[in-house]
Amino acid sequence: MTSEMILTNALLVLPGEVLPGTLVIRGDRIAEIQPGRSHAPGAIDLDGDHLIPGIVDVHTDNLERQVQPRATARWPSRSAMLAHDSQTAAAGVTTVLDALCLGDLGFDAGRTQTFVEGVQDLDALTGTGLLKSDHFLHLRCEIPAADMRELVEMAADHPLVRMVSFMDHSPGVGQYRDVERYRQMRIRGGKTAEEVDKRITELLETRERLLEPNRRWLLDRVAHRKLPLASHDDDSPEGIARNAADGITISEFPVTLEAARAAKKLGVQVIAGAPNIVRGGSHSGNVAVSDLMHDQAVDVLASDYVPPAMVEAAWLAAGQGHTTLPAAIAMITGTAAQMAGFTDRGRLEAGLRADLVQIRPHEGHAVVRRVWRAAERIA
């Protein structure tokens, strides 16, 4: 006999409206959406809280934060993965694309270890029932890096890969187009000025030699997977146009308003960072996401480095008048699910998986109270 769960006295955030009503779950699927309260025995009263679909995070670096909680302290990989999983679930994220970096540009050598061990941990834990959220892989490929190709070969055909992004974190480009700011950041990170200057020279020489051949190689290498392809930290309309011509149809974290506007004109979807909204601006001096929202130049919000930022950013965006609450919630649920190729989740709709988040707004914050994945309570 199929189990049934009834959630009532809720504000159901549907694709086009907020409906005071009841949601009926049978097995692991949403079975019915009904207006009004249910008086059925055993119905769970949500106390008038909002009920939204489980959040889909298409880009998070949060695992790196758990692996490296201090600059000189590396945490055991499996423990870091389990901590990351618990944090995503508690934030209402029921589906997460772990964004792991492939390629070393000389200042973050530990990222390669995080990638290798992260994939190993997901292989070991997926299917055990121990992970609260559904985990997939987002390969963040550092295109100018000399070791990028060999690292991509380790995961290009992995069944958990759902997205590939083309990154270039070289000084003078994208997020780091201000070379002096980049230089000072690396010096603050513990390097001497001489070490930083030497490495910048080496990076620019390597970029000149490898950027274009590596880009073409990666486009060819992943073509058979027909995965969503993203460009990272776009800074110009010209770059957006070139990427679109190569089939890169997502711009994640554009650093200028002009790049985001160009993306929208070409039908390229834009991912923006939720922490940027919560903080009130970029931590690295780039365009404010609130300006992108005002320009209707955002399709999806991602946690980037703070999983709880997603639901808070959606509520703030709606509260600040940039969009409606259903549209803001779609940026972290339905539209994000579609972007990553999921057809069984992301909306409160009969037949879809019962990934659900109960939220109570309080003094300007959106507080996650309960989380279900496939009808199972996970937080």
Side-chain angles (χ1 to χ4, degrees):
M1 182 176 178
T2 302
S3 62
E4 181 175 271
M5 179 168 62
I6 301 173
L7 305 177
T8 194
N9 188 21
L11 293 173
L12 307 176
V13 183
L14 305 177
E17 63 177 326
V18 178
L19 175 71
T22 297
L23 187 138
V24 180
I25 301 163
R26 296 192 183 97
D28 65 354
R29 301 279 156 168
I30 299 170
E32 299 176 46
I33 293 174
Q34 305 167 349
R37 294 188 62 155
S38 170
H39 299 286
I44 300 172
D45 191 328
L46 297 193
D47 302 322
D49 288 346
H50 289 75
L51 190 67
I52 72 169
I55 295 170
V56 178
D57 190 356
V58 298
H59 181 123
T60 183
D61 306 342
N62 187 57
L63 177 60
E64 292 181 352
R65 310 288 161 179
Q66 309 315 309
V67 167
Q68 200 84 35
R70 292 287 187 271
T72 58
R74 189 170 183 92
W75 206 248
S77 175
R78 189 66 55 85
S79 297
M81 177 63 75
L82 291 170
H84 163 57
D85 175 62
S86 293
Q87 290 175 12
T88 58
V93 178
T94 52
T95 301
V96 53
L97 273 59
D98 294 321
L100 302 180
C101 188
L102 286 70
D104 175 25
L105 291 186
F107 291 105
D108 301 295
R111 281 182 158 178
T112 296
Q113 182 180 348
T114 300
F115 158 65
V116 173
E117 293 180 344
V119 174
Q120 292 172 347
D121 290 338
L122 284 185
D123 285 340
L125 292 169
T126 300
T128 64
L130 296 175
L131 294 175
K132 299 175 185 295
S133 299
D134 255 356
H135 287 258
F136 298 88
L137 290 168
H138 177 160
L139 303 183
R140 304 173 59 218
C141 303
E142 199 67 73
I143 304 303
D147 60 346
M148 185 273 291
R149 294 192 189 193
E150 64 183 270
L151 295 174
V152 168
E153 287 291 1
M154 296 172 62
D157 299 314
H158 198 289
L160 291 180
V161 175
R162 283 277 173 165
M163 189 177 293
V164 175
S165 61
F166 288 61
M167 302 195 307
D168 182 358
H169 283 114
S170 303
V173 179
Q175 180 179 347
Y176 299 130
R177 60 196 185 281
D178 185 334
V179 176
E180 182 56 29
R181 184 175 184 142
Y182 176 91
R183 182 175 179 273
Q184 292 303 320
M185 176 189 72
R186 294 307 185 186
I187 292 172
R188 289 194 301 272
K191 302 290 185 181
T192 67
E194 292 75 15
E195 289 174 326
V196 172
D197 291 341
K198 180 175 182 291
R199 189 55 183 149
I200 287 176
T201 298
E202 293 171 347
L203 285 174
L204 294 179
E205 290 174 351
T206 302
R207 181 177 189 271
E208 178 69 22
R209 179 168 51 89
L210 294 181
L211 181 68
E212 288 306 316
N214 276 1
R215 176 188 171 92
R216 302 314 311 178
W217 178 87
L218 183 59
L219 285 167
D220 292 341
R221 181 63 182 84
V222 299
H224 72 289
R225 293 291 306 271
K226 301 189 184 305
L227 295 165
L229 303 181
S231 54
H232 190 80
D233 291 348
D234 294 302
D235 60 8
S236 72
E238 294 78 16
I240 292 285
R242 186 193 178 201
N243 291 331
D246 281 338
I248 299 173
T249 58
I250 300 167
S251 173
E252 58 173 7
F253 313 139
V255 299
T256 67
L257 182 58
E258 292 74 22
R261 284 173 173 167
K264 297 309 298 176
K265 286 181 180 178
L266 290 175
V268 172
Q269 290 189 296
V270 172
I271 300 172
N276 186 305
I277 294 180
V278 177
R279 294 183 69 257
S282 168
H283 72 280
S284 53
N286 296 310
V287 66
V289 173
S290 60
D291 291 340
L292 301 185
M293 296 287 291
H294 180 75
D295 225 51
Q296 297 185 325
V298 177
D299 297 285
V300 167
L301 294 172
S303 76
D304 197 2
Y305 55 97
V306 184
M310 294 186 70
V311 68
E312 187 168 357
W315 240 265
L316 283 170
Q320 293 168 358
H322 296 303
T323 187
T324 65
L325 183 61
I329 294 302
M331 291 180 177
I332 60 173
T333 59
T335 306
Q338 292 171 2
M339 176 180 283
F342 297 107
T343 59
D344 63 343
R345 66 197 73 183
R347 303 182 305 280
L348 300 186
E349 181 180 302
L352 297 191
R353 204 170 74 168
D355 293 353
L356 308 164
V357 186
Q358 178 183 349
I359 295 171
R360 177 172 297 178
H362 178 72
E363 296 182 352
H365 294 274
V367 181
V368 173
R369 300 191 67 201
R370 284 186 275 198
V371 184
W372 296 264
R373 178 171 69 86
E376 179 182 351
R377 178 85 182 271
I378 61 171

